[in-house]
Amino acid sequence: MSDLRPTLSPGQQAWRRFRKNRPAVVSSVYLAVLTLGILIWPLLLILVGGTFGQDHAPDQLSDAQFAPPSLHHWFGTDLHGRDVFSRVLYGAQISLFVGLVGTLVSLVIGVLWGAIAGYAGGRVDSVLMRVVDILYSLPTIIFIIVLITTLGELLKQSHFVTNSPFMGAALRVMLLFVGLGAISWLTMARIVRGQVLSLRTRAFVEASRTLGAGPVWILSKHIIPNIFGVVITYLALTMPAIVLYESFLSYLGLGVQPPMASWGTLIAEGVGQINPIRIYWWLIIFPGGVMVATLMALNFIGDGLRDAWDIKAR
Amino acid sequence: MYYLRRLLFAIPLLLVISALAFALVRLAPGGPFDNERVPASPEIQRHLLAKYHLDEPMWKQYLRYLGDLAHGDFGVSLKYRDHSINDIIAEGLPVSMTLGGLAFCFALGVGLPLGFFTAANRGRWPDRVGSWLAMLAVCVPGFVIAPVLIMVFAVKWHWLPVALWESPLHMILPTMALGLYFAGQVARLMREGMLSAMQSEFVTAARSKGLGENELLFKHAFRIAVLPVVSYAGPMLADLLTGSFIIENIFQIPGIGVFLVNGSLNRDYTVVVGLSLLYAMLLIGLNLVVDFAYTLLDPRVKYE
């Protein structure tokens, strides 16, 4: 009977397999809920207004310092009496936004770099790949700290920033995702190059070329659609890495600057409050927990996609 | 012969890295003498710049630096001028390496058995729980697990010291905090390796000869499955050494990472370039050692 079923495209087959992967599906639901929460919570604060809206505004100071989690403040309050739940959701905005855009930056650089190297071959290929090798041998964390502090200082001096604090904050975030994207494209470039290299010599591409197709046509019609699965999988695995880098930099005080908050700065504030007398566990457990859950969800989705597209580990 | 070529290739690589770091730190506005406790007069500033040759064109500074480097001299810290970079390395590196080495052992000691165990129970609930734990370990950053460990074991229960680096007891929490992520990675690699090894032909052949399942797992599959872990060991050691500064910072451990972060913030040019180079050297050296270990474990691997 099986031959009566309509044939499925690779994408549809992958989607079928992905739907059967329980951790990946649960993770997708979690991320959807988190995204909804990020979008709806600020609206809710405005709509409900009154004391509720006031008490839960992320920057609203109050006398309720270090209140433990309760019905009113679900995640407790911090040193300045600010609602931790609100701050975690507002921090999620920045963390996920930087993660998403940084991933897209790495996608553009990585795919272009890899596709050009693989398609051109020969000398171009070896030069481009040597560059990747050199960048691979840089100690990533050190490199990024030096890069971000340097660019951050340059930014501070530019007249945009001295003129308006808003521009300063916006440029700071932009710096983060450009910088993080710029160091995260290496694996993508290697994988895309390998795929393009093997696809280029396949019969259907040869056929298209003998029929007079140019490189742009071949790349866009034959190569790109065929590497889609690999690319989307590594994209899903790159995003948690970038979210982690961002929180790491913000933890060190090199990322987003107050009054903006991301998960990294929230955790840093919690760590600053550790003392031998009282334990303010909610300052670390909640921001840290939401971040860890998000990273796990992204990784489970990445693993699910890899299994769904049946991509062999390198 | 192959290793000799790799070593020779490392020299231009280190030159590129040093030039890159050298240019990058100087690109940032502000200099190492901007935030002195007593603001120096322009006169003194100029003398300071002249003393450390910072008034020369950049290429000249770089060549001078390379010349000193050839004599094994990394220069003097511009911020803490009574410390040479060699002093900083001599003081901090042993501490960082002890911490990194302990975390390395922790990662292998926890990761290898966990990966082996989950693969041996593939698809059953021990596998699900174990794989989930490994994923959790990979997703918990050091700056989250370290404060949690401190709050639980040091502040709440008083079992272990909160910070500092004085006795073996002080080493337990930092080692766990640093090694946890890598333990998760090792477990995941080991599980993947075991699963693909169990499907390979030589294992099927051994099984058809009537070998017991335990003997298959331990004697045959393990040796192949451990290879991905071995190739991960080099980058892992390098990451443990370069990535330990957050842990060093939280536990107030006098390692080398603190100098690097502060140096970067203070425009301490020589510290940043010197330590970046040190890390790059470690990375290259460790990768070489790993590739060599690979040929010992898997005789099929040969480098031209």
Side-chain angles (χ1 to χ4, degrees):
Chain A
M1 287 299 278
S2 63
D3 49 344
L4 287 181
R5 270 199 233 138
T7 32
L8 294 168
S9 75
Q12 286 166 321
Q13 286 176 19
W15 172 236
R16 270 203 180 177
R17 281 193 291 262
F18 185 81
R19 263 188 326 193
K20 285 204 188 109
N21 185 328
R22 191 145 15 117
V25 172
V26 172
S27 301
S28 309
V29 172
Y30 166 80
L31 281 186
V33 169
L34 181 67
T35 315
L36 267 180
I38 291 172
L39 296 175
I40 288 178
W41 185 249
L43 287 178
L44 201 71
L45 289 184
I46 297 170
L47 286 179
V48 175
T51 47
F52 178 83
Q54 190 130 67
D55 280 2
H56 292 82
D59 297 326
Q60 177 60 46
L61 310 184
S62 80
D63 295 334
Q65 290 182 353
F66 296 126
S70 63
L71 272 179
H72 190 56
H73 292 294
W74 297 341
F75 286 2
T77 61
D78 69 357
L79 167 68
H80 302 295
R82 292 173 294 193
D83 183 57
V84 175
F85 181 78
S86 268
R87 286 176 65 70
V88 168
L89 275 189
Y90 274 84
Q93 274 181 10
I94 302 287
S95 291
L96 289 181
F97 179 70
V98 170
L100 201 65
V101 182
T103 308
L104 291 180
V105 171
S106 85
L107 167 79
V108 171
I109 306 178
V111 168
L112 278 180
W113 200 278
I116 291 172
Y119 196 79
R123 181 158 296 168
V124 178
D125 179 31
S126 65
V127 168
L128 289 181
M129 283 298 119
R130 209 18 58 83
V131 171
V132 171
D133 287 344
I134 288 178
L135 291 178
Y136 248 117
S137 65
L138 289 177
T140 323
I141 294 174
I142 316 284
F143 184 62
I144 202 172
I145 288 175
V146 176
L147 188 76
I148 295 281
T149 42
T150 303
L151 297 180
E153 284 300 315
L154 277 175
L155 224 134
K156 254 188 224 160
Q157 310 271 316
S158 74
H159 61 276
F160 284 125
V161 178
T162 37
N163 285 346
S164 94
F166 173 74
M167 273 301 279
L171 279 174
R172 186 89 204 171
V173 172
M174 214 150 94
L175 165 72
L176 271 181
F177 56 65
V178 171
L180 290 176
I183 59 147
S184 306
W185 56 272
L186 299 174
T187 309
M188 183 69 90
R190 273 196 181 170
I191 286 162
V192 169
R193 171 191 172 262
Q195 292 279 320
V196 172
L197 213 57
S198 77
L199 279 171
R200 198 170 59 127
T201 52
R202 295 276 283 278
F204 68 96
V205 178
E206 290 290 347
S208 179
R209 191 175 295 129
T210 36
L211 289 172
V216 174
W217 176 267
I218 290 175
L219 271 176
S220 63
K221 276 283 164 196
H222 296 307
I223 310 265
I224 305 265
N226 273 305
I227 59 174
F228 184 73
V230 184
V231 168
I232 199 113
T233 301
Y234 278 89
L235 221 50
L237 294 172
T238 305
M239 183 160 164
I242 293 188
V243 171
L244 193 57
Y245 272 132
E246 185 278 329
S247 66
F248 174 83
L249 285 174
S250 295
Y251 175 87
L252 284 175
L254 302 172
V256 299
Q257 304 292 322
M260 259 190 184
S262 80
W263 291 332
T265 57
L266 292 179
I267 294 165
E269 281 170 25
V271 171
Q273 296 303 331
I274 289 184
N275 66 61
I277 303 151
R278 290 221 44 201
I279 300 176
Y280 305 121
W281 52 269
W282 55 92
L283 292 184
I284 291 169
I285 296 293
F286 288 122
V290 173
M291 181 171 101
V292 169
T294 307
L295 293 176
M296 282 182 82
L298 288 167
N299 273 313
F300 275 129
I301 291 173
D303 280 4
L305 284 171
R306 194 180 57 199
D307 293 344
W309 289 97
D310 195 23
I311 295 160
K312 297 275 179 298
R314 280 177 302 142
Chain B
M1 206 39 227
Y2 170 77
Y3 297 101
L4 203 68
R5 239 188 9 206
R6 284 273 297 267
L7 268 182
L8 285 178
F9 181 66
I11 296 171
L13 194 61
L14 287 173
L15 278 177
V16 171
I17 291 172
S18 66
L20 215 63
F22 203 84
L24 209 54
V25 280
R26 277 169 177 73
L27 210 68
F33 310 121
D34 286 356
N35 303 316
E36 301 276 300
R37 245 165 296 160
V38 187
S41 68
E43 184 74 7
I44 297 177
Q45 284 250 13
R46 217 173 45 242
H47 278 291
L48 273 173
L49 287 180
K51 175 158 188 236
Y52 295 103
H53 308 289
L54 292 174
D55 49 351
E56 290 175 356
M58 219 199 299
W59 62 270
K60 221 168 168 182
Q61 291 181 38
Y62 181 61
L63 288 184
R64 188 186 297 279
Y65 182 76
L66 285 186
D68 287 344
L69 210 57
H71 298 103
D73 180 8
F74 278 101
V76 182
S77 163
L78 299 172
K79 197 76 196 170
Y80 311 101
R81 286 188 288 273
D82 41 354
H83 284 290
S84 74
I85 312 296
N86 296 41
D87 285 346
I88 292 177
I89 293 175
E91 255 174 56
L93 193 60
V95 175
S96 288
M97 282 184 87
T98 313
L99 177 59
L102 284 173
F104 185 76
C105 297
F106 176 81
L108 291 184
V110 173
L112 285 180
L114 184 61
F116 188 88
F117 174 74
T118 49
N121 289 292
R122 178 181 197 181
R124 290 197 289 270
W125 69 265
D127 178 27
R128 298 233 180 89
V129 174
S131 300
W132 193 84
L133 282 177
M135 179 65 101
L136 182 68
V138 170
C139 292
V140 180
F143 56 86
V144 172
I145 192 65
V148 170
L149 287 175
I150 290 177
M151 284 192 301
V152 173
F153 290 102
V155 178
K156 183 132 179 109
W157 290 342
H158 300 288
W159 286 359
L160 292 165
V162 177
L164 301 180
W165 189 253
E166 280 157 5
S167 70
L169 273 184
H170 287 84
M171 299 179 183
I172 296 175
L173 292 185
T175 300
M176 283 167 64
L178 183 58
L180 190 70
Y181 166 85
F182 298 93
Q185 286 287 22
V186 168
R188 283 163 63 82
L189 280 174
M190 187 66 198
R191 180 174 178 274
E192 291 271 310
M194 283 295 288
L195 290 184
S196 68
M198 289 304 282
Q199 286 165 1
S200 62
E201 284 167 5
F202 76 96
V203 170
T204 315
R207 184 180 283 135
S208 62
K209 281 197 306 189
L211 235 59
E213 205 58 21
N214 274 337
E215 202 166 346
L216 273 178
L217 283 171
F218 281 102
K219 279 201 179 150
H220 293 257
F222 182 82
R223 283 191 58 180
I224 293 298
V226 85
L227 284 176
V229 179
V230 172
S231 54
Y232 177 58
M236 167 160 95
L237 255 178
D239 277 354
L240 279 170
L241 293 175
T242 58
S244 63
F245 53 77
I246 280 223
I247 301 297
E248 288 176 11
N249 181 314
I250 292 177
F251 289 96
Q252 296 177 18
I253 297 166
I256 209 164
V258 183
F259 284 100
L260 185 82
V261 177
N262 289 340
S264 186
L265 288 171
N266 290 330
R267 301 283 103 70
D268 199 338
Y269 301 146
T270 44
V271 169
V272 176
V273 180
L275 295 188
S276 303
L277 262 182
L278 178 77
Y279 282 135
M281 279 188 242
L282 283 173
L283 194 67
I284 293 169
L286 286 172
N287 276 329
L288 213 59
V289 171
V290 162
D291 287 349
F292 184 68
Y294 219 79
T295 55
L296 293 184
L297 271 171
D298 189 348
R300 289 172 304 182
V301 176
K302 277 215 175 62
Y303 302 108
E304 12 72 83

